[in-house]
Structures are given as structure tokens and as C-alpha cells.
Amino acid sequence: METPKRQAATRMMWPVIPLLFSACGSLSDRSARSLPQASDTATGNTQLVASVVRSTGLSAVRQPYTTIRTGLAVLWHRPLGLVSGTLPVPTDLSPLPAEVPGTEEFERLLDRRRLPGRESGKLSWLVDGRSFFPELDRQIAAAKESVRMQFFIYDNDDVAVKYADRLKGKAETVPVRILFDDMGSAFAHTAAPETPRPDGFSPPADIAKYLKSGSKVEVRRSLNPWLVCDHTKLVVFDRKVAMMGGMNMGREYYSEWHDLMVKVDGPIVESLSREFGRAWRKAGPWGDLALFRKPGFFRRPAPVDGGYPLRMLRTDAAEGQEQILKATLLGVRAAKKRIWVENPYFAYDDIARELEAAARRGVDVRVILPAKGDSKIMDAGNLATARGLIEAGGKVYRYPKMNHMKVILCDGWAQVGSANLDTLSMRINRELCLAFSDPGAIREMENKIFQPDFSASKRIRHEETTDPVAPIAEAVADQL
């Protein structure tokens, strides 16, 4: 039976349920937990309304080009997703690529498909908050020139406030810029973490005001034209070291969820720095016009020992970029031996169909899903998609808690970043991933990510995927 607090939180969400079908759908259940909310109902409603006003009004004024391009993409891909989800045959009938993922031939195939070129760099794996946040502490302390942070969610819980205070202190000596998605953060502020907050802690109503109050920290919100989000997670220090992946700023990522960031060193950090700079300028008062300004000069970081080629991939509806989807589909269709996936949202029909086809041709297809995610709709949709993969001969596993990782390994080629396997991440939201095929980095991913998580997970049986609401949920999940 629902508690009064849960009922109140559920009632609070009814006015914004239509928004969930345009963006940020996975946050719905987080706003209806029985624990005390991060913000009280009135404050949460106020912040959500303010976010919607900025998304619709301010976006159109500051970002007219982005608003038009994004709107056209949404109007095209939403109905397209509904149609493609009901087609009984694959939408790509071209021959399977002969190039094997992980080989130089496959990398040249990606080049021929006009995906971004490779740049030198090196990845270090930061598994869970216990690895990422200590490294974040070290980099904040060591920064001498600049701290640049972009998150989908900058929460207002105790962890987020602790880091806000740390960054306010750092801004006394080093320029600090923080960019977060307006709508993603507004939704998160209405939801409590899974674990109780400290006694006496009172969350600030507006984390942007808190960050700027009495400090030199510069803060901007990524606006949400057509309620589309910037799902990027990217942190850059001194334009020499970067971290990117799936983690936001808040308690879930600090200690509750299974998640991943990678530390990036080497020349590719210059391109990552430029990506932050572009997003920062666009979120400013000049909006789209700021993109015509020539970016400032900064020196490319020196090569690092053990560096290898990395390919930066984007989804960006306003720029017509579907690089993550194109590369993922090529990797899956070309795989000859294995396709291993970890993702919390397994709902994109084109990829699901290609995974089923790969399993039927004998590829070792394995997918790890969370035992319980942050959205009941997506959990049910995951089961519906898993059912088809299991029937095709693939293996699907449940990780024992919320698994927020976004990684895929196709033979000897891999991708890591912020993108979910859903329509939003593949076609609409702004996303950032890195792809690579260095044998040493592939072995590290196997040993630090996949093998431990296969051991910790339980394989899902076909009969467990039988759920009368799963087909409906899967249809809804296709739109999230």
C-alpha cells in the first residue's frame, strides 16, 4: 500500500507526465519514491515549472536554429520509431560488413562512413563512485588553470552540495565552470536518493543559485528545446585531463548505483575540451549566435605513453549527428564472434533486431541489464526486448542492483560513454561516447567490466520474460 508521501509524490508527477514522453522518461520513478524527497513538493513543482518555461520560451529566443532543427528531428523520429518497431523484418537489408570489428579494416570502414577520425589518447577505468569520486577529488585539487564540468544531472543532495562547496573553494584560485541540463536536474531535485539523507541536511531549492552564491563559480543550464536533453557527462581539468561516461553529480552515483567513468589522457582531450566549450557558449546569453565566435586557442596535450587511437562519437539532433547509432549498428552487424553489452535501457528496436540476427548466426550475444532500474516502464520494456533476444539464442543477465553502465564490445572493437540503447540516445538527446580497438584496452574492459559483472549477474530464463504489460511497456519505452 502506498504511503501518504508516495501518494503525494505521485500526484505531483501527474501534471508533468506528458513531458516524460518527450524526454527524461527514466526519471519518473525516482520522483515517486517513498523516502522523503530531495525538495519539498511546492519547491519541486516550482523548479519544474521554471524549467519548462525556460525549455519552451527561453530556448526559442536564444536558440532558434537549435529549436527548429531539434523540433524537425523529434517530429521525424518519434513516428518513425513507432513504425519501425512494428516492422516484421530488419530495416537494413544490405549485406553484412566483411570487416571484423577490432581490425584496421573495420576502422577504415568507419572512416568511409564519414564518422569522426581517430585521435591519440589513453583510457583509465573508474568503476563505480568509489573509483570516480576519489579521482575527481585528486583532479580538483591538482587543477592549476581551469575546471570544466558538464553533467546531465547536478543534484541537490548532500553529495552534490559537498562538491559544490569544494568547487566554490577552488574557484577562489582557479576558474570553475559548471554546466548541467536544466530539465534533467529539475526532475532529479524532486527525488530522494535510495539511502536516507544525513540528519539535519536541508537541500537547496536551486543548486545553480547555491553554486553561485558567495563564490566565483560560473554556472549555466543547458536548455531543452522541445524538451530534449543534453545527456553528456564530461569533466575537463586544465585542458589536459578529462573524464567522461555515465555518472552525474549526486548520491546515486557516489555510492548507490553501478556505473562507469573513464579518465582520458592525451591529445584527444583537446577535442573534448572544445566540446565543452561549444556547449558552454551555446548555453550562454547569445545562444546559437555564440557558435559563430571563433573558439579560443589552447595547446593540444602531449602524447602519453601507451596511447592508442580513440574515436569521439556524438548524438546531436540539432547538428544532424547520429554517429553513435551508425557506429553501433556497424559493430553489431559486422561482429563474427561476440557482442557483449551493459546498458540500463534496452529499447531501441533497430539495435535489438540486429542483436537477435547476430545471435541467430552464431555470435555470442550477451546483455547485462539492471535487476531493478530507475523506471518501471523501462524495466518492463527491457524484459520484452530480452524475450526476443533469448528466443534468438542470446543470453540476458540481471545485475543485482541498478546498473547504469553504457558499454558495448563487438569482437575487438568497443564503445563507452553516456548513450543508452533507446530512441532518445540514438536519435534525439545529445550524447558523447568514445570508441576504440586497441587490444590492451579491450582486455582491460573485459577484465574490469564484463567478466566481474557476468560473475555477479544471474541469467534470465525465458519464462521470466512473460509479462502481460511488457509489450505495451516496450512500445512506450521505444519513445523514451
Side-chain angles (χ1 to χ4, degrees):
M1 185 173 181
E2 288 190 333
T3 66
K5 287 179 179 178
R6 185 180 181 92
Q7 291 172 345
T10 303
R11 287 194 298 271
M12 183 198 73
M13 288 304 298
W14 278 112
V16 297
I17 281 177
L19 308 184
L20 306 182
F21 290 92
S22 293
C24 308
S26 64
L27 295 171
S28 57
D29 284 0
R30 296 183 62 221
S31 297
R33 289 181 185 157
S34 57
L35 287 170
Q37 292 177 304
S39 298
D40 63 83
T41 300
T43 301
N45 275 328
T46 299
Q47 293 301 315
L48 286 172
V49 169
S51 175
V52 172
V53 170
R54 287 190 292 263
S55 297
T56 55
L58 194 56
S59 294
V61 174
R62 285 187 179 178
Q63 302 175 358
Y65 173 81
T66 295
T67 298
I68 292 170
R69 285 290 302 267
T70 302
L72 291 173
V74 170
L75 290 173
W76 171 252
H77 290 303
R78 289 300 190 194
L80 182 64
L82 287 172
V83 172
S84 66
T86 61
L87 293 176
V89 295
T91 54
D92 189 344
L93 301 177
S94 61
L96 296 176
E99 297 84 351
V100 178
T103 64
E104 186 59 30
E105 290 76 17
F106 182 77
E107 294 292 346
R108 287 199 289 267
L109 172 64
L110 296 177
D111 292 334
R112 291 196 299 273
R113 298 298 175 90
R114 298 186 177 181
L115 291 169
R118 292 173 287 171
E119 301 178 76
S120 179
K122 185 178 181 181
L123 302 181
S124 302
W125 302 90
L126 304 173
V127 180
D128 293 335
R130 65 176 181 270
S131 296
F132 168 59
F133 283 94
E135 182 62 29
L136 183 64
D137 293 338
R138 285 190 288 270
Q139 295 298 332
I140 291 173
K144 293 181 173 56
E145 298 175 9
S146 62
V147 176
R148 306 287 186 254
M149 294 186 169
Q150 181 181 6
F151 295 107
F152 173 52
I153 293 171
Y154 198 112
D155 217 330
N156 64 347
D157 59 26
D158 58 302
V159 170
V161 168
K162 178 182 75 172
Y163 276 90
D165 292 339
R166 187 166 298 170
L167 291 164
K168 289 165 78 167
K170 186 68 178 181
E172 293 299 315
T173 56
V174 172
V176 175
R177 288 179 172 176
I178 299 175
L179 175 65
F180 59 79
D181 188 84
D182 193 2
M183 184 170 291
S185 297
F187 270 106
H189 292 178
T190 68
E194 296 173 0
T195 49
R197 64 194 184 196
D199 292 339
F201 173 76
S202 179
D206 187 327
I207 194 65
K209 289 183 179 179
Y210 183 85
L211 281 160
K212 291 187 287 187
S213 176
S215 82
K216 299 178 181 178
V217 175
E218 297 179 75
V219 182
R220 288 179 181 175
R221 294 178 170 94
S222 297
L223 299 177
N224 307 98
W226 296 87
L227 309 181
V228 169
C229 295
D230 191 331
H231 200 235
T232 304
K233 295 91 172 172
L234 174 64
V235 185
V236 185
F237 299 95
D238 294 344
R239 296 171 175 168
K240 296 177 182 178
V241 176
M243 291 187 281
M244 54 82 64
M247 293 196 204
N248 294 296
M249 177 57 73
R251 177 91 71 80
E252 287 90 345
Y253 314 94
Y254 187 81
S255 60
E256 296 174 356
W257 289 4
H258 186 46
D259 211 337
L260 176 68
M261 295 287 272
V262 289
K263 177 172 170 280
V264 190
D265 294 284
I268 196 173
V269 174
E270 178 188 11
S271 294
L272 295 172
S273 298
R274 291 185 184 278
E275 286 296 304
F276 176 90
R278 181 178 176 83
W280 177 262
R281 294 195 305 276
K282 188 174 181 177
W286 291 98
D288 286 341
L289 291 176
L291 299 182
F292 291 100
R293 290 172 48 201
K294 186 176 180 180
F297 170 79
F298 48 93
R299 192 182 306 277
R300 180 178 288 268
V304 292
D305 292 339
Y308 41 82
L310 296 166
R311 192 183 300 266
M312 186 175 67
L313 303 172
R314 273 286 192 192
T315 301
D316 190 336
E319 299 294 333
Q321 294 176 339
E322 297 177 1
Q323 300 159 0
I324 296 170
L325 174 60
K326 290 178 181 178
T328 301
L329 285 174
L330 279 173
V332 170
R333 299 190 80 239
K336 306 298 188 290
K337 294 182 178 180
R338 66 176 176 183
I339 304 170
W340 295 351
V341 179
E342 286 194 52
N343 207 284
Y345 314 116
F346 184 31
Y348 194 69
D349 289 307
D350 289 358
I351 293 176
R353 273 194 294 263
E354 292 295 348
L355 288 171
E356 292 171 15
R360 291 192 183 98
R361 66 176 184 263
V363 177
D364 174 20
V365 179
R366 308 185 202 177
V367 176
I368 300 177
L369 303 170
K372 183 180 179 183
D374 61 343
S375 168
K376 292 177 182 177
I377 290 176
M378 296 304 293
D379 285 348
N382 282 349
L383 279 184
T385 314
R387 183 179 180 85
L389 182 56
I390 292 170
E391 290 173 348
K395 301 172 184 175
V396 184
Y397 299 81
R398 280 196 184 97
Y399 193 79
K401 63 179 182 178
M402 175 55 180
N403 186 339
H404 199 242
M405 289 196 178
K406 300 99 164 38
V407 290
I408 183 169
L409 174 59
C410 302
D411 289 345
W413 176 86
Q415 189 179 171
V416 58
S418 67
N420 299 313
L421 295 180
D422 58 19
T423 300
L424 283 175
S425 288
M426 294 295 109
R427 298 280 194 181
I428 297 175
N429 278 347
R430 200 159 185 264
E431 305 283 359
L432 174 66
C433 288
L434 293 175
F436 56 93
S437 55
D438 176 76
I442 295 295
R443 284 193 298 272
E444 276 198 295
M445 176 182 264
E446 292 175 13
N447 295 333
K448 294 185 178 182
I449 308 298
F450 283 107
Q451 295 298 353
D453 289 358
F454 285 138
S455 298
S457 302
K458 183 179 179 181
R459 188 171 171 183
I460 298 176
R461 302 188 306 274
H462 183 264
E463 55 268 27
E464 295 178 78
T465 64
T466 303
D467 187 331
V469 303
I472 300 173
E474 197 270 339
V476 174
D478 285 346
Q479 296 298 302
L480 297 177

